[in-house]
Each structure stands twice: as structure tokens, then as C-alpha cells.
């Protein structure tokens, strides 16, 4: 998670201010309200596990309901998608909390500046926070100095509610991660034994915290977390005043009760612990003290004296055997062998006085009894060493749990594994298991008929009776081993195709581009393996996206019809326009040119202009020039042959005077046949 990123469009992530085993904390800024906040994000490697995400969300919602001045407030929760690996994102839940300036109690302890008075005041604030959370049904499970802030105003703020509980649902040994069971130095015995944890477990951790505030060190230290946990189960803590003389007897009595192994003898709630602590600040010693069962090992204790009186009159050996049996019954091996012999320092005469006998055989029996106890002690030490080896090997908690069980206690009622888990969503099934008082874990496997993310089976099976807080493993389907490449990918955008492949149980492989006449730019053109084919689950599918462009084919030297058909083909799909051009060289109807060069790419729908040759029109004939007509020779007709004298061709002048106007001769011929005279021409 890089700084400067904004979550949910509101919370800006700034520099890293804290890091734990399961989450990172960044300083943030609420862009809407303009205030500083702290942003806690579940670690990215854990966010891939649906159980961790489910617990984180549910606990975050529960803690958001807490409202107490001594608890860091939770403002908001959400998820953020971050790049997990190439081409894949993971949703990481986050919690937006109150930003608290100041230092942790761990810093104050290391500085050595704490006084008993300030230590009491700080722990009283922690107990107030625990009281509020316990009333809300939330157990912190990881009370320690690093989870308590002290503000500049010297007020207490308890942090990290809910996270430890969410992580405790996942099974792991403490050698794998301390966060599963809490920090070793502050574990309650029941946490170390893997038993059910309740509010009194937080009070034990608060007692460890008080011990460290007063003395500067935890009550138990060791070379490893396992050895420290063993001490919480089997060893009594040192008296705080023996480490720091400033610790008063009143505080010693409070610590003794708070650190009692048996939770039934501890403070039963935070208010009683706080009241005893404030009384101790005034010098009041706690009346009942620790009330530990080890009082039975003291021969001067009333219980032992009563036991001795109850067997008066029995032989000395029987008395010693009965007393030993009582000790063994109250505190099973191997602790009984670590305790001082209940009758060491008591003479045989004293024993004879107790039962009123003075028999040397009884004395011999007593010596034999002590020898038997020595042999038992040696065997016990061997057992302890073997148990330590088993602890180192990672099974110590189970061994300790068996040794720490009290055979005289009543059997714990068993819990029934919920029904109908099979077929549920894994998060829903996990919640059902947790609500039943059990712990859920999960494994994944392929299944041909169960959809991915649904529960295939459970171990133990539904309806089985198991001890409380047992683990129930959920086998979750990863979908079929072979899946079909979705046919719906065609035409999807790259982002949508990636989501569809992930839902189908496949991954996105190589992404390339090709031209297409029909698929829009950026959409899936085809895949490899092909759409509808079967592929192994979780395998990669290559995507080929459309560029939205088309390669123009070569169209010249084709006929007009061929060129138009090629442009109209589905692989090209480009419109065309025809322009005719006279060409006396190229055969008419042949394309001589195209507006876009062949093999160039154009956008879909680009018009291509084709130039088509046509025959030029025939030329009109030129008009012939006009020729001059040849001159014809003048010919004269021969004169007709007549008998008699030849008359002249010229008209002869008339002897009569020409008619003049007004003489009555207008319109009449000057000559006529009637006026020819007696020349006899009329008869001819």
C-alpha cells in the first residue's frame, strides 16, 4: 500500500506508523472531515484467506459499537482492492480508527519513569476499558504494554480490540506466530492450554501487565515462547516486592489473586479487580489472597491437619499413603513431584503419636514408603523431561492440557457441529461454526459438481459432538478441475473479460491486439484456448482484443464488381464510392486507382473511393472543304432550219408607234398572231 492512496474516496493513506504480526497501521487523513485518523489494514498475504477476511470484518463491526473514553474509537470499515500479483487484485479489509498521539506503555516501561502510583492509575484505566468491552461481549485476548497508549494528557487508550480474536480462529502453534494465542509473556494458562478464553483471561493478562509496570519485567521470562507458556501453566510467579522493594504487600496480594492459575479463583470481573487495586493504593491488603490449591502441600495448613485427624487410628504407613493420595488427587503429576514432601521433617515418633501406636514394623513401613516416594520422584523427573521434549516438538500444549486436567472435575459438555454447512458459502459456514463455539479453518480442492467458494465437506462432519473450542475444517471447492472458457467473453472489454475468467476459475494470460471490421476497439476478438473449449482450472487464457481498425485490401486491376464485393466482405466491411475516368489504354470497367493504399489500416466505416476506367467517346468526323464547281463551256443552240429567208434573232422594231399612255393600248401585246400580216406564219 503506497502512501497518498485514497480509500473509499475519503481516507488518504499517509506514512506507516505501526506494524504488527497481522496488520499494518498508517497515519491517514479524513478528506471529508479534515481530521487525522489511523488506518489499520490486514496484511496482504492474510487477506487472500476468506476466513481471515470474514473474522476481520465481523470483529471490526463489533468493535465499532464500543464507545468508551479509554478505548480507541473505530470510525469506519471497508475493503480496498490492491494489486496482489501481475494481472490480479485482492480485496484487503481496513479499519479507520481514532488517531491517538503519545507513547505506549511499553515505551514508558523501558524509560524506567513509572512510579507505583502512576502504574496503578494506568492499569485502572485499562480495567475500565476491559469492563466496557466485556459487557459488550468482546474479549481482547492480547492485553500487553504495546497495546495501551498514554496520551500527552496522561489518559489511557486501549487498542487492538478484535484482531487477536479474529486471528485465533485460524489453527497454528505459537511457534508459528505469537499472534494466534497472544503474546507469550501475557498469556493466561487457559490460552496456553488451548482452552476456551473468556473475560477472566483478559484479567490474568492485566495482572501480568501490572506486574511489569511495578517491577519493569513480566512475571515469567524464558528463552522461548514455549518455555514462557509452560511457566504460565505450571509455575508460580515471583513475589513482586522481591524484585522491587517499593511494591507494597497490598499490591502483592492483588497480584497474587490476579495471577492465580485457576480462573475460578481469580478476579471474576474487571470492576472487582479495579476496586481491589484502588484499595491497595490506600494500603488495604486483599483478604482472601491468591487462594491457590498449593496450600494443601503445607502440613500446617488446616486442610492437612483435618485430613490427619480424620484418619486417626490407622497405621502410620496408611496415614502417609492417604496423605500422599490426597495430594496427588488435588494436583496430579508431575507437579506433585516438584513440591516438597508433605512429611519431610516429620519424625516417625510424631507419626506414631498421631495414630497412637509405637510399632517398629510401622516405622519400617514408613521408611519403605519414603523410599517408594523417592522412586516415584525420580520417575516423575524423567516424565517431566520427556514432556519438555514433546513441548519443543510442538505438542507440548496438548500434553500440558492433559496433565492440567482435574480428574475430579465435572466433564465439559460437548458441542454439536452445525448442520447444513455443506453447500454454504465459506464465509457463512465459518460464521456458523464460530457461533457454535468452535473454531473454523479451511482447505481447498477441485470438485466437478460443487461451485467454487462453496463447502464440499467438513471434518468433523455435521451433527458430530466435539469438545468446545474444537477445530472444524471446511473443505472448500475450487470448482471443476477442467472448466469451459466462457463463450460470453467475445465483445467484452478487457476488464470485464478478466473478471469473467476469474469467476470461471481461470487466469488471464497474454493480451494482444488485431484488426477487426466488426468488433469495436478494445473488445475481445478471440481467445486461446478458443471460446467454449475446455481448459484446466486456474490455467491462463490469452486474450486477443480488437484495434477497431481495418486493413484495406488491394483493389486495383479488379473489375468494379469484384472490388465492391471485396470491400463488402465481413472481414473488411468498408463502404465504397465509384468515380469513372476515361481511359483508352485500360479495358473499361477495371479499377485503376483506390483512395487508400493497399495494406494500410483505416478506422471502421471509412469510405474507399474507386476509380474505374471507361472507354473514351468516338471522335466526330471533320467536315470536308467545299470544292469550286468547274466552269462549263458556253454552248449555243443551232438555229432552226427554215425555208425562206433567215430572220434575225433580234426582234424587229415595230413600225407602229409605241403606245403611250392614254392611247387605249395599255396591257395589250404589241404584236400577236392576228397582227402578223399576211406572212402565213399562223398556218405553220
Amino acid at each position: 500500500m503506497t502512501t497518498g492512496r485514497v480509500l473509499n474516496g475519503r481516507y488518504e493513506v499517509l506514512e506507516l506508523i505501526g506494524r504488527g504480526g497481522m496488520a499494518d497501521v498508517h497515519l491517514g487523513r479524513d478528506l471529508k472531515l479534515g481530521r487525522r485518523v489511523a488506518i489499520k489494514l490486514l496484511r496482504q498475504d492474510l487477506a487472500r484467506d476468506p476466513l481471515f477476511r470474514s473474522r476481520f470484518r465481523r470483529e471490526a463491526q463489533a468493535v465499532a459499537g464500543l464507545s468508551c473514553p479509554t478505548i480507541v474509537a473505530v470510525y469506519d470499515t471497508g475493503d480496498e482492492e490492491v494489486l496482489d500479483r501481475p494481472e490480479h487484485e485482492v480485496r484487503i479489509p481496513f479499519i479507520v480508527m481514532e488517531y491517538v498521539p503519545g507513547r505506549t506503555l511499553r515505551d514508558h516501561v523501558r524509560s524506567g519513569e513509572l512510579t507505583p502510583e502512576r502504574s496503578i492509575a494506568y492499569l485502572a484505566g485499562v480495567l475500565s476499558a476491559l469492563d466496557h468491552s466485556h459487557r459488550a461481549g468482546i474479549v481482547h485476548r492480547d492485553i500487553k504494554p504495546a497495546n495501551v497508549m498514554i496520551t500527552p494528557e496522561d489518559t489511557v487508550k486501549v487498542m487492538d480490540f478484535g484482531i487477536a480474536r479474529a486471528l485465533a480462529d485460524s489453527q497454528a502453534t505459537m511457534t508459528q506466530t505469537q499472534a494466534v494465542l497472544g503474546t507469550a509473556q501475557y498469556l493466561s494458562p487457559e490460552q496456553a492450554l488451548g482452552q476456551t478464553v473468556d473475560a477472566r483471561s483478559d484479567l490474568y493478562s492485566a495482572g501480568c501487565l501490572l506486574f511489569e509496570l511495578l517491577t519493569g519485567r513480566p512475571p515469567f521470562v524464558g528463552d522461548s515462547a514455549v518455555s514462557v507458556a509452560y511457566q504460565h501453566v505450571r509455575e508460580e510467579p515471583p513475589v513482586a516486592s522481591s524484585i522491587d522493594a517499593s511494591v507494597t504487600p497490598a499490591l502483592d496480594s492483588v497480584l497474587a489473586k490476579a495471577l492465580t492459575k485457576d480462573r475460578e479463583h481469580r478476579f471474576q470481573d474487571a470492576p472487582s479487580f479495579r476496586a481491589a487495586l484502588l484499595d491497595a493504593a490506600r494500603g488495604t491488603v486483599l483478604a482472601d489472597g491468591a487462594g491457590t490449591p498449593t496450600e494443601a502441600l503445607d502440613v500446617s495448613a488446616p486442610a492437612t491437619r483435618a485430613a490427619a485427624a480424620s484418619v486417626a487410628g490407622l497405621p502410620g504407613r496408611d496415614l502417609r499413603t492417604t496423605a500422599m493420595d490426597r495430594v496427588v488427587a488435588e494436583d496430579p503429576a508431575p507437579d506433585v513431584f516438584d513440591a516438597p514432601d508433605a512429611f519431610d521433617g516429620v519424625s516417625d515418633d510424631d507419626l506414631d503419636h498421631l495414630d497412637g501406636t509405637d510399632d517398629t514394623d510401622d516405622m519400617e513401613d514408613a521408611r519403605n514408603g519414603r523410599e517408594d516416594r523417592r522412586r516415584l520422584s525420580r520417575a516423575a523427573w524423567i516424565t517431566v523431561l520427556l514432556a519438555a521434549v514433546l513441548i519443543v516438538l510442538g505438542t507440548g500444549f496438548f500434553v500440558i492440557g492433559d496433565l492440567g486436567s482435574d480428574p475430579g472435575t465435572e466433564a465439559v459438555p460437548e458441542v454439536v457441529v452445525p448442520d447444513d454447512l455443506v453447500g454454504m458459502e465459506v464465509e457463512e459456514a465459518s460464521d456458523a461454526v464460530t457461533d457454535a463455539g468452535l473454531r473454523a479453518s479451511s482447505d481447498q480442492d477441485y470438485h466437478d459438481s460443487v461451485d467454487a467458494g462453496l463447502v464440499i465437506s467438513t471434518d468433523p462432519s455435521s451433527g458430530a459432538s466435539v469438545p468446545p473450542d474444537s477445530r472444524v475444517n471446511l473443505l472448500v471447492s475450487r470448482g471443476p478441475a477442467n472448466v469451459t472458457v466462457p463463450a460470453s467473453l467475445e465483445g467484452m472489454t478487457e476488464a470485464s473479460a478478466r473478471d469473467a475468467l476469474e469467476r470461471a476459475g481461470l487466469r488471464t494470460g497474454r493480451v494482444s491486439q488485431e484488426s477487426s471490421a466488426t468488433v469495436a476497439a478494445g473488445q475481445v476478438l478471440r481467445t486461446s484456448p478458443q471460446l467454449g473449449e475446455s481448459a484446466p482450472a486456474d490455467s491462463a487464457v490469452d486474450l486477443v482484443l480488437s484495434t477497431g481498425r481495418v486493413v484495406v485490401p488491394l483493389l486495383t486491376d479488379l473489375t468494379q464488381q469484384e472490388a465492391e464485393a471485396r470491400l463488402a466482405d465481413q472481414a473488411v466491411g468498408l463502404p465504397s464510392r465509384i468515380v469513372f475516368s476515361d481511359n483508352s489504354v485500360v479495358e473499361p470497367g477495371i479499377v485503376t486507382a483506390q483512395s487508400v493504399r493497399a495494406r494500410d489500416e483505416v478506422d471502421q466505416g471509412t469510405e474507399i473511393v474507386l476509380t474505374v476506367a471507361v472507354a473514351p467517346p468516338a471522335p466526330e468526323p471533320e467536315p470536308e472543304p467545299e470544292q469550286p464547281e468547274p466552269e462549263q463551256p458556253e454552248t449555243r443552240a443551232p438555229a432552226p432550219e427554215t425555208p425562206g429567208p433567215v430572220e434575225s434573232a433580234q426582234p424587229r422594231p415595230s413600225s407602229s408607234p409605241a403606245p403611250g399612255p392614254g392611247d387605249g393600248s395599255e396591257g395589250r401585246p404589241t404584236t400577236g398572231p392576228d397582227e402578223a400580216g399576211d406572212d402565213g406564219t399562223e398556218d405553220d
Side-chain angles (χ1 to χ4, degrees), residues 62-422:
V63 177
L66 296 178
S67 177
C68 180
T70 54
I71 297 177
V72 174
V74 172
Y75 297 143
D76 197 2
T77 62
D79 292 330
E80 174 70 6
E81 286 191 356
V82 299
L83 187 64
D84 180 32
R85 54 182 182 268
E87 315 296 346
H88 187 272
E89 291 184 338
V90 63
R91 300 186 69 85
I92 295 183
F94 64 86
I95 303 175
V96 181
M97 305 178 299
E98 172 189 6
Y99 172 70
V100 180
R103 295 192 300 165
T104 65
L105 270 182
R106 180 176 59 183
D107 298 330
H108 284 276
V109 171
R110 290 176 178 177
S111 67
E113 61 189 20
L114 288 176
T115 62
E117 292 76 14
R118 293 182 65 188
S119 299
I120 292 172
Y122 291 156
L123 192 71
V126 172
L127 292 172
S128 295
L130 290 178
D131 178 37
H132 185 83
S133 67
H134 293 166
R135 291 177 184 273
I138 297 176
V139 181
H140 192 290
R141 300 177 183 242
D142 197 18
I143 291 295
K144 59 183 179 181
N147 285 340
V148 180
M149 289 289 298
I150 305 300
T151 69
E153 294 78 20
D154 219 28
T155 59
V156 173
K157 291 282 188 179
V158 178
M159 306 180 296
D160 282 347
F161 275 84
I163 302 303
R165 182 177 182 183
L167 298 174
D169 289 324
S170 179
Q171 293 296 302
T173 62
M174 192 168 61
T175 55
Q176 291 171 327
T177 170
Q178 291 183 3
V180 174
L181 295 175
T183 307
Q185 285 80 5
Y186 313 94
L187 281 178
S188 65
E190 54 269 20
Q191 280 178 282
L193 291 171
Q195 297 174 353
T196 304
V197 177
D198 59 18
R200 293 169 294 181
S201 304
D202 279 349
L203 301 183
Y204 182 93
S205 300
C208 295
L209 174 60
L210 176 62
F211 190 100
E212 184 170 359
L213 296 179
L214 294 172
T215 64
R217 48 150 283 188
F220 299 109
V221 293
D223 297 332
S224 67
V226 174
S227 66
V228 174
Y230 180 82
Q231 294 178 67
H232 279 292
V233 175
R234 286 298 171 191
E235 296 186 8
E236 293 299 324
V239 179
S241 58
S242 66
I243 300 174
D244 190 329
S246 63
V247 178
T248 64
L251 289 174
D252 279 337
S253 66
V254 172
L255 286 170
K257 187 174 182 65
L259 298 178
T260 301
K261 308 298 182 189
D262 186 354
R263 71 179 92 184
E264 298 297 333
H265 293 86
R266 288 182 214 146
F267 295 108
Q268 297 299 295
D269 52 47
S272 61
F273 191 168
R274 189 172 185 273
L277 183 64
L278 297 179
D279 288 341
R282 295 188 289 269
T284 303
V285 177
L286 195 61
D288 55 355
T292 60
T294 55
E295 292 176 354
L297 298 177
D298 186 0
V299 294
S300 63
T304 304
R305 291 198 300 269
S310 66
V311 295
L314 295 177
R317 180 181 178 185
D318 293 338
L319 172 63
R320 286 189 295 272
T321 304
T322 302
M324 178 58 71
D325 291 341
R326 175 179 175 82
V327 173
V328 172
E330 293 188 3
D331 195 5
D335 273 14
V336 65
F337 303 114
D338 299 335
D341 189 352
F343 291 91
D344 284 350
V346 181
S347 67
D348 292 332
D349 292 339
D350 295 332
L351 293 174
D352 292 337
H353 177 71
L354 284 173
D355 61 9
T357 62
D358 187 10
D359 190 274
T360 56
D361 292 337
D362 291 341
M363 295 174 62
E364 183 64 25
D365 291 340
R367 283 192 293 271
N368 292 337
R370 284 194 294 271
E371 186 64 29
D372 291 340
R373 289 194 297 275
R374 292 190 184 95
R375 285 195 297 270
L376 289 173
S377 180
R378 286 192 296 271
W381 279 111
I382 295 173
T383 303
V384 171
L385 292 176
L386 290 175
V389 172
L390 292 175
I391 292 173
V392 174
L393 295 176
T395 60
F397 290 116
F398 299 102
V399 174
I400 295 171
D402 292 339
L403 294 176
S405 62
D406 189 349
T409 59
E410 187 176 345
V412 178
E414 293 189 332
V415 177
V416 177
V417 178
D419 294 329
D420 302 327
L421 295 178
V422 175

Side-chain angles (χ1 to χ4, degrees), residues 636-640 642 645-653:
R636 294 183 179 181
T642 59
V646 178
E647 293 184 359
S648 172
Q650 297 293 329
R652 287 178 298 182

